[in-house]
């Protein structure tokens, strides 16, 4: 029987493919650490009521840094170089490579990223609590159901697609809520900040869609020689799919956590200056 382990474990890798994954994973955690400093150092550049957004970015950076570091180590330990084959192959006795940690990390980061926007847009007290609760619920359910589904990406196509579809329903709910609060929250905002909200929505949509794209990577990959796998369209070979998946994850992580956080900081700076009379050049209230 095929074990329920991620498809990365079923292939061997050329040194180039192996290194590309290692490099991309390293880039991922290096960016999180660098951005951590950005969010700490710019915290006071916005009026006090917006600072919680930076605090939430700090929480996201720390958890993502730790996870991505562990993920890179996991890749290093799972495979060894075989000189005869000139390939990296599964290391005897090593633990399996797993993306499961990512999902658990998202369980922290997704609610935080969704919560964060509520501090930068205009939203009334009642709506704040109800949107926050719905964000937390649907965001967490999206991840938990996807976490279950990813176990079956080689062993059971039915389970893989059904859990993925359930997760997608929660994802649509999150997208719907986000679009609604952004459209409403823009009303009455200073023009510069309102324009940024439009950019934030585009970034949000594109970067969050990359995660289901990475989930579906085994669907566009040739099945294993014994026929197991969940492939529908054999576009990629295993090695290419694994490299593509790690690049997709890193682009998604940097966009949805770091660039998103920076755009929110900039929107808060504009709002601080124009509405709260808080000038980030002097870090003081202008009278
Ligand atoms: C899963 C399972 C397959 C279906 C869908 C998914 C969506 C995942 C998303 C994850 C976002 C993660 C973020 C993390 C930041 O730290 C779970 C892959 C729709 C949207 C933003």
């Amino acid at each position: 029987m095929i074990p329920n382990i991620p498809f990365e474990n079923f292939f061997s890798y050329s040194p180039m493919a192996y290194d590309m994954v290692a490099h991309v994973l390293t880039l991922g955690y290096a960016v999180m650490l660098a951005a951590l400093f950005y969010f700490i150092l710019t915290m006071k550049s916005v009026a006090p009521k917006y600072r919680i957004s930076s605090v939430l970015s700090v929480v996201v950076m720390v958890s993502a840094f730790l996870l991505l570091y562990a993920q890179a180590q996991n890749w290093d330990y799972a495979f060894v170089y075989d000189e005869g084959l000139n390939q990296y192959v599964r290391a005897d006795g090593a633990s399996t490579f797993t993306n499961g940690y990512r999902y658990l990390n998202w369980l922290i980061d997704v609610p935080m990223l969704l919560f964060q926007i509520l501090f930068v847009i205009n939203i009334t007290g009642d709506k704040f609590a109800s949107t926050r609760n719905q964000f937390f619920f649907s965001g967490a359910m999206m991840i938990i159901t996807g976490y279950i589904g990813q176990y079956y990406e080689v062993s059971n196509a039915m389970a893989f697609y059904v859990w993925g579809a359930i997760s997608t329903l929660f994802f649509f709910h999150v997208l719907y809520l986000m679009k609604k609060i952004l459209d409403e929250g823009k009303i009455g905002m200073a023009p510069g900040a309102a324009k940024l909200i439009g950019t934030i929505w585009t970034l949000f949509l594109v970067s969050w869609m990359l995660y289901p794209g990475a989930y579906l990577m085994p669907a566009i990959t040739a099945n294993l020689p014994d026929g197991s796998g969940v492939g529908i369209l054999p576009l990629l070979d295993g090695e290419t799919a694994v490299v593509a998946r790690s690049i997709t994850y890193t682009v998604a992580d940097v966009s949805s956590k770091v660039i998103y956080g920076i755009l929110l900081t900039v929107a808060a700076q504009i709002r601080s200056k124009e509405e709260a009379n808080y000038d980030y050049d002097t870090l003081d209230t202008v009278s």
Side-chain angles (χ1 to χ4, degrees):
M1 218 184 89
I2 292 279
N4 292 342
I5 54 175
F7 88 148
E8 280 86 348
N9 299 293
F10 292 90
F11 312 114
S12 57
Y13 302 92
S14 68
M16 183 175 161
Y18 178 84
D19 281 348
M20 279 175 81
V21 174
H23 297 161
V24 161
L25 289 171
T26 305
L27 173 69
Y29 70 76
V31 172
M32 298 304 146
L33 188 60
L36 171 66
F37 285 94
Y38 170 86
F39 292 116
I40 295 173
L41 294 170
T42 56
M43 184 109 47
K44 290 218 165 119
S45 72
V46 300
K49 69 171 178 171
Y50 296 121
R51 284 182 197 162
I52 203 82
S53 166
S54 305
V55 172
L56 292 171
S57 274
V58 167
V59 171
V60 168
M61 290 306 111
V62 172
S63 76
F65 170 76
L66 291 172
L67 164 274
L68 291 171
Y69 184 75
Q71 192 79 58
Q73 299 275 96
N74 183 206
W75 179 256
D76 276 353
Y77 293 140
F79 303 92
V80 287
Y81 181 60
D82 181 316
E83 260 183 66
L85 296 171
N86 188 28
Q87 291 271 311
Y88 278 83
V89 295
R90 287 266 308 117
D92 255 353
S95 49
T96 50
F97 179 76
T98 170
N99 290 301
Y101 294 113
R102 287 189 182 277
Y103 286 73
L104 297 179
N105 169 252
W106 302 341
L107 212 45
I108 306 169
D109 289 355
V110 161
M112 295 302 121
L113 293 168
L114 295 169
F115 191 29
Q116 197 177 352
I117 192 97
L118 303 180
F119 294 94
V120 180
I121 54 156
N122 293 326
I123 189 158
T124 55
D126 274 2
K127 263 224 152 127
F128 182 96
S130 123
T131 312
R132 178 198 58 204
N133 296 345
Q134 294 185 64
F135 266 163
F136 282 2
F137 177 76
S138 289
M141 289 303 288
M142 171 182 86
I143 303 303
I144 293 167
T145 51
Y147 175 71
I148 301 172
Q150 56 92 35
Y151 273 107
Y152 300 106
E153 65 185 20
V154 176
S155 58
N156 184 340
M158 177 76 170
F160 175 76
Y161 288 112
V162 170
W163 284 110
I166 299 173
S167 171
T168 305
L169 295 177
F170 290 108
F171 182 42
F172 285 155
H173 184 227
V174 167
L175 290 178
Y176 163 79
L177 279 176
M178 183 59 110
K179 179 79 180 123
K180 200 166 99 177
I181 60 137
L182 288 182
D183 283 347
E184 290 169 8
K186 253 192 331 208
I187 299 168
M189 235 188 224
K195 200 168 155 239
L196 261 187
I197 297 295
T199 313
I200 290 170
W201 165 246
T202 311
L203 174 82
F204 179 84
L205 195 61
V206 173
S207 61
W208 283 51
M209 295 275 249
L210 292 175
Y211 293 94
Y215 180 93
L216 284 175
M217 214 55 95
I220 53 162
T221 304
N223 283 336
L224 300 177
D226 71 358
S228 47
V230 299
I232 308 174
L233 201 66
L235 283 179
L236 308 176
D237 60 84
E239 186 185 72
T240 313
V242 170
V243 174
R245 187 189 246 182
S246 61
I247 295 175
T248 306
Y249 273 138
T250 300
V251 172
D253 281 346
V254 172
S255 321
S256 71
K257 303 183 230 257
V258 178
I259 302 180
Y260 170 82
I262 293 174
L263 290 183
L264 286 179
T265 305
V266 174
Q269 284 170 342
I270 298 174
R271 299 202 70 189
S272 303
K273 200 165 184 174
E274 295 187 357
E275 295 158 17
N277 266 357
Y278 186 84
D279 188 349
Y280 62 85
D281 293 331
T282 55
L283 299 187
D284 208 350
T285 310
V286 282
S287 45

mmCIF file of all heavy atoms in Angstrom, residues 176-195:
data_model
loop_
_atom_site.group_PDB
_atom_site.id
_atom_site.type_symbol
_atom_site.label_atom_id
_atom_site.label_comp_id
_atom_site.label_asym_id
_atom_site.label_seq_id
_atom_site.Cartn_x
_atom_site.Cartn_y
_atom_site.Cartn_z
ATOM 1 N N TYR A 176 -14.930 36.476 -0.258
ATOM 2 C CA TYR A 176 -16.144 37.284 -0.289
ATOM 3 C C TYR A 176 -16.130 38.334 0.840
ATOM 4 O O TYR A 176 -16.371 39.521 0.604
ATOM 5 C CB TYR A 176 -17.368 36.356 -0.174
ATOM 6 C CG TYR A 176 -18.641 37.049 0.202
ATOM 7 C CD1 TYR A 176 -19.386 37.756 -0.762
ATOM 8 C CD2 TYR A 176 -19.097 37.034 1.519
ATOM 9 C CE1 TYR A 176 -20.547 38.419 -0.394
ATOM 10 C CE2 TYR A 176 -20.256 37.701 1.890
ATOM 11 C CZ TYR A 176 -20.975 38.386 0.926
ATOM 12 O OH TYR A 176 -22.115 39.052 1.289
ATOM 13 N N LEU A 177 -15.782 37.876 2.038
ATOM 14 C CA LEU A 177 -15.744 38.796 3.185
ATOM 15 C C LEU A 177 -14.709 39.893 2.986
ATOM 16 O O LEU A 177 -14.955 41.072 3.269
ATOM 17 C CB LEU A 177 -15.334 38.033 4.438
ATOM 18 C CG LEU A 177 -16.377 37.223 5.180
ATOM 19 C CD1 LEU A 177 -15.692 36.486 6.336
ATOM 20 C CD2 LEU A 177 -17.459 38.154 5.733
ATOM 21 N N MET A 178 -13.551 39.501 2.480
ATOM 22 C CA MET A 178 -12.473 40.456 2.290
ATOM 23 C C MET A 178 -12.876 41.526 1.283
ATOM 24 O O MET A 178 -12.692 42.720 1.525
ATOM 25 C CB MET A 178 -11.223 39.694 1.817
ATOM 26 C CG MET A 178 -10.016 40.546 1.655
ATOM 27 S SD MET A 178 -9.550 41.374 3.177
ATOM 28 C CE MET A 178 -8.067 40.556 3.614
ATOM 29 N N LYS A 179 -13.452 41.091 0.164
ATOM 30 C CA LYS A 179 -13.863 42.050 -0.873
ATOM 31 C C LYS A 179 -14.882 43.025 -0.295
ATOM 32 O O LYS A 179 -14.832 44.233 -0.537
ATOM 33 C CB LYS A 179 -14.448 41.261 -2.064
ATOM 34 C CG LYS A 179 -14.945 42.137 -3.199
ATOM 35 C CD LYS A 179 -13.787 42.625 -4.066
ATOM 36 C CE LYS A 179 -14.233 43.500 -5.220
ATOM 37 N NZ LYS A 179 -13.624 44.811 -5.240
ATOM 38 N N LYS A 180 -15.823 42.475 0.486
ATOM 39 C CA LYS A 180 -16.892 43.299 1.055
ATOM 40 C C LYS A 180 -16.330 44.354 2.014
ATOM 41 O O LYS A 180 -16.646 45.538 1.895
ATOM 42 C CB LYS A 180 -17.880 42.381 1.786
ATOM 43 C CG LYS A 180 -19.230 43.029 1.988
ATOM 44 C CD LYS A 180 -20.275 42.021 2.385
ATOM 45 C CE LYS A 180 -20.408 42.107 3.846
ATOM 46 N NZ LYS A 180 -21.263 41.436 4.621
ATOM 47 N N ILE A 181 -15.481 43.934 2.925
ATOM 48 C CA ILE A 181 -14.995 44.930 3.894
ATOM 49 C C ILE A 181 -14.030 45.938 3.253
ATOM 50 O O ILE A 181 -13.964 47.084 3.676
ATOM 51 C CB ILE A 181 -14.359 44.304 5.164
ATOM 52 C CG1 ILE A 181 -13.166 43.429 4.795
ATOM 53 C CG2 ILE A 181 -15.367 43.583 6.025
ATOM 54 C CD1 ILE A 181 -12.043 43.665 5.744
ATOM 55 N N LEU A 182 -13.323 45.508 2.216
ATOM 56 C CA LEU A 182 -12.431 46.467 1.547
ATOM 57 C C LEU A 182 -13.253 47.516 0.812
ATOM 58 O O LEU A 182 -12.951 48.716 0.887
ATOM 59 C CB LEU A 182 -11.476 45.767 0.585
ATOM 60 C CG LEU A 182 -10.355 44.937 1.202
ATOM 61 C CD1 LEU A 182 -9.463 44.340 0.126
ATOM 62 C CD2 LEU A 182 -9.504 45.773 2.158
ATOM 63 N N ASP A 183 -14.308 47.078 0.126
ATOM 64 C CA ASP A 183 -15.155 48.040 -0.596
ATOM 65 C C ASP A 183 -15.815 49.011 0.370
ATOM 66 O O ASP A 183 -15.856 50.211 0.130
ATOM 67 C CB ASP A 183 -16.223 47.292 -1.414
ATOM 68 C CG ASP A 183 -15.620 46.687 -2.678
ATOM 69 O OD1 ASP A 183 -14.479 47.060 -3.018
ATOM 70 O OD2 ASP A 183 -16.286 45.840 -3.316
ATOM 71 N N GLU A 184 -16.314 48.488 1.473
ATOM 72 C CA GLU A 184 -16.978 49.367 2.450
ATOM 73 C C GLU A 184 -15.959 50.233 3.200
ATOM 74 O O GLU A 184 -16.218 51.395 3.483
ATOM 75 C CB GLU A 184 -17.768 48.522 3.455
ATOM 76 C CG GLU A 184 -18.982 47.875 2.816
ATOM 77 C CD GLU A 184 -19.630 46.827 3.716
ATOM 78 O OE1 GLU A 184 -19.220 46.709 4.893
ATOM 79 O OE2 GLU A 184 -20.539 46.122 3.234
ATOM 80 N N GLY A 185 -14.809 49.629 3.498
ATOM 81 C CA GLY A 185 -13.807 50.319 4.309
ATOM 82 C C GLY A 185 -13.140 51.481 3.591
ATOM 83 O O GLY A 185 -12.586 52.379 4.226
ATOM 84 N N LYS A 186 -13.187 51.436 2.275
ATOM 85 C CA LYS A 186 -12.556 52.486 1.472
ATOM 86 C C LYS A 186 -13.305 53.805 1.541
ATOM 87 O O LYS A 186 -12.735 54.869 1.360
ATOM 88 C CB LYS A 186 -12.579 52.034 0.007
ATOM 89 C CG LYS A 186 -11.268 51.622 -0.498
ATOM 90 C CD LYS A 186 -11.127 51.421 -1.973
ATOM 91 C CE LYS A 186 -12.308 51.000 -2.790
ATOM 92 N NZ LYS A 186 -11.911 50.248 -3.983
ATOM 93 N N ILE A 187 -14.615 53.673 1.807
ATOM 94 C CA ILE A 187 -15.463 54.868 1.764
ATOM 95 C C ILE A 187 -14.972 55.891 2.789
ATOM 96 O O ILE A 187 -14.771 55.567 3.958
ATOM 97 C CB ILE A 187 -16.950 54.475 2.014
ATOM 98 C CG1 ILE A 187 -17.389 53.517 0.914
ATOM 99 C CG2 ILE A 187 -17.851 55.706 2.093
ATOM 100 C CD1 ILE A 187 -18.717 52.828 1.179
ATOM 101 N N GLY A 188 -14.774 57.108 2.323
ATOM 102 C CA GLY A 188 -14.367 58.183 3.227
ATOM 103 C C GLY A 188 -12.882 58.199 3.545
ATOM 104 O O GLY A 188 -12.424 58.987 4.359
ATOM 105 N N MET A 189 -12.136 57.309 2.906
ATOM 106 C CA MET A 189 -10.693 57.289 3.168
ATOM 107 C C MET A 189 -9.982 58.336 2.318
ATOM 108 O O MET A 189 -10.461 58.662 1.232
ATOM 109 C CB MET A 189 -10.161 55.916 2.741
ATOM 110 C CG MET A 189 -9.438 55.203 3.819
ATOM 111 S SD MET A 189 -8.678 53.751 3.104
ATOM 112 C CE MET A 189 -9.087 52.573 4.349
ATOM 113 N N ALA A 190 -8.835 58.808 2.771
ATOM 114 C CA ALA A 190 -8.037 59.728 1.956
ATOM 115 C C ALA A 190 -7.715 59.034 0.624
ATOM 116 O O ALA A 190 -7.471 57.827 0.621
ATOM 117 C CB ALA A 190 -6.747 60.054 2.693
ATOM 118 N N PRO A 191 -7.728 59.799 -0.494
ATOM 119 C CA PRO A 191 -7.583 59.171 -1.818
ATOM 120 C C PRO A 191 -6.333 58.286 -1.955
ATOM 121 O O PRO A 191 -6.402 57.205 -2.530
ATOM 122 C CB PRO A 191 -7.506 60.358 -2.780
ATOM 123 C CG PRO A 191 -7.978 61.537 -2.017
ATOM 124 C CD PRO A 191 -7.884 61.245 -0.566
ATOM 125 N N GLY A 192 -5.219 58.744 -1.432
ATOM 126 C CA GLY A 192 -3.977 57.963 -1.537
ATOM 127 C C GLY A 192 -4.143 56.595 -0.898
ATOM 128 O O GLY A 192 -3.764 55.564 -1.465
ATOM 129 N N ALA A 193 -4.732 56.572 0.297
ATOM 130 C CA ALA A 193 -4.910 55.310 1.023
ATOM 131 C C ALA A 193 -5.947 54.440 0.321
ATOM 132 O O ALA A 193 -5.784 53.226 0.206
ATOM 133 C CB ALA A 193 -5.316 55.592 2.461
ATOM 134 N N ALA A 194 -7.026 55.075 -0.197
ATOM 135 C CA ALA A 194 -8.082 54.312 -0.874
ATOM 136 C C ALA A 194 -7.523 53.591 -2.102
ATOM 137 O O ALA A 194 -7.887 52.447 -2.387
ATOM 138 C CB ALA A 194 -9.227 55.234 -1.271
ATOM 139 N N LYS A 195 -6.611 54.251 -2.794
ATOM 140 C CA LYS A 195 -6.018 53.640 -3.984
ATOM 141 C C LYS A 195 -5.193 52.403 -3.596
ATOM 142 O O LYS A 195 -5.232 51.365 -4.262
ATOM 143 C CB LYS A 195 -5.135 54.672 -4.691
ATOM 144 C CG LYS A 195 -4.888 54.318 -6.116
ATOM 145 C CD LYS A 195 -4.275 55.466 -6.901
ATOM 146 C CE LYS A 195 -3.517 54.875 -8.076
ATOM 147 N NZ LYS A 195 -2.108 55.198 -8.090
#
